[in-house]
Amino acid sequence: MSVTETAGAKDLTGELQDALINRVGRDRFRMWFGQITQCHRVGRDVVVDVAAQFALDRIGSRYMIDLRQAVVDVCGEGVSVSLQLAPDKPAQPVEADDAQADSQTESAATLRSDEPSETATPAAAAPSRRRSRGEAPRDNVQPLLQVSSFQSASSDDPVPPRRRRVASWDQIVVGKSNKLAATAARMICDTPGSASPLFLWGTHGTGKTQLMDVVATELRRRHRLRRVISMTAEEFTNDFIGSVTGSGLPGFRRRYRDVDALLIDEVQFLPGKRATSREMLYTIDSIVRAGKQLVFAADRPPMEIPGLGQDLAGRMAGGMVCSLSPLDHEMRTQMLQQLCDAEDLGIDHQMLADIAGNVCGDGRVVSGIACRLKALVSMHDEPVTYDQITEILSDLISIGSSSYGFADIQTAVCNTMGLPKDALQSKGQSRNVSQARMLAMYLAREHTGATYGDIGKYFGQRSHSAVIAATRRIAGDVQDGKTFAIGNRSIPAKQVLESVQNMLRSG
């Protein structure tokens, strides 16, 4: 094999490793795919060398669909996949071979996106050690299994695409609530590093993780960037702790600083981890200096995450900060119609619009509704009716029910406005607390049917007339387009109200 072919095989191996990690997870990758030694092209065929027979058999029987889809992600459709036992190399002195194995292990750790190096299974390294000590070479190495990348081994039907991760802009619904964030994401997909870091924030179910998945996919496919790491802050923390106690920090730092792009979700879980936060700060500095792309996501802006630290929050806010609001009626309708049309359910769009108008703004709930509708359609040979749909979705479209209590409303308001849970029952009179308390009173009156007196008693021993004034004030603020103070920002009252209702309905 020439030098050019060897370099191409290394690139293909690294890209396929990244694609497999995204599909099967770090643990399964390390256990079964960690013994893949090399991948190379032979015409329209991708040949995958596996170090051990047992791992080859396991991949062939359990993970060929994942392997084929990973090849499609990297090479496109129409490429077949072959597995074969890796040919043995000539025996070398133990010392030289061990040094080479250490170098390969370190390189694999760098390619591995986010896997803690200390979790590598001893079995994965055992075959190469045995071969280095002069084990007899295997004879008659032939491809064990060859299956088209887009066809099942046991059927002529196409393999259905995995739907765990969004891989295309066609699956993203863009509207008023996420237009700025989607535009910024497209911008960095077109020109990586043009807005780094990009920080996406919003309550759960607003599409932050979906946008990050699309960005990661686009960077790999369009720009052929091999070292694109997408993970959560918890995974980053676990890998850091494992490196400190096990493999050492140099390997960890090479893994995360020598990247093409780093995407970290759920940043709000970093506070309280001083050493991890400090390492994250240095990692950000290194990647920004290299002109590479950083993307973060959290449930609130970086400067308002308690305990994050001014230095780290400032660096995360140093690029572009974009908010995502709960999905409005139009976006929920478009998303539900898109999901149902993709499954060819044949449900009238007006019925879907009515359903979307009676559910919360959480995108995950809308996706769950589409799954239920698919099951409902499969149960009946004739078109489903609106009554059948509302019956199967009764627990999700019970708008205005009395299932919410004072405590539920208090928790939702405090989480949305970034206040301590007991703030609404205190005597505090600051603008943030007063507005939050009035909003909670308004929602309590709307959703619980409790008397003004009971509401006032719960929220800080307020009088009957104070609750009446609060409900009228909130209704007027929403109608007049006034704003609420949340941290250092002013957010439209209607948007805050929708965020709280979204949190209530989605539990």
Side-chain angles (χ1 to χ4, degrees), residues 173-181 323-331 494-495 498:
V173 175
V174 179
K176 292 187 296 183
S177 70
N178 67 347
K179 190 171 185 179
L180 177 62
S323 66
L324 292 89
S325 305
L327 278 64
D328 56 24
H329 179 207
E330 181 180 350
M331 291 183 66
K494 183 178 180 181
Q495 181 177 328
E498 289 177 349

Side-chain angles (χ1 to χ4, degrees), residues 261-289:
L262 177 62
L263 301 87
I264 298 183
D265 201 356
E266 299 177 353
V267 172
Q268 68 270 15
F269 295 111
L270 275 179
K273 305 172 179 66
R274 294 175 56 188
T276 305
S277 297
R278 184 171 59 252
E279 190 64 32
M280 175 71 76
L281 187 148
Y282 297 147
T283 300
I284 292 173
D285 286 344
S286 176
I287 294 175
V288 170
R289 280 196 301 267

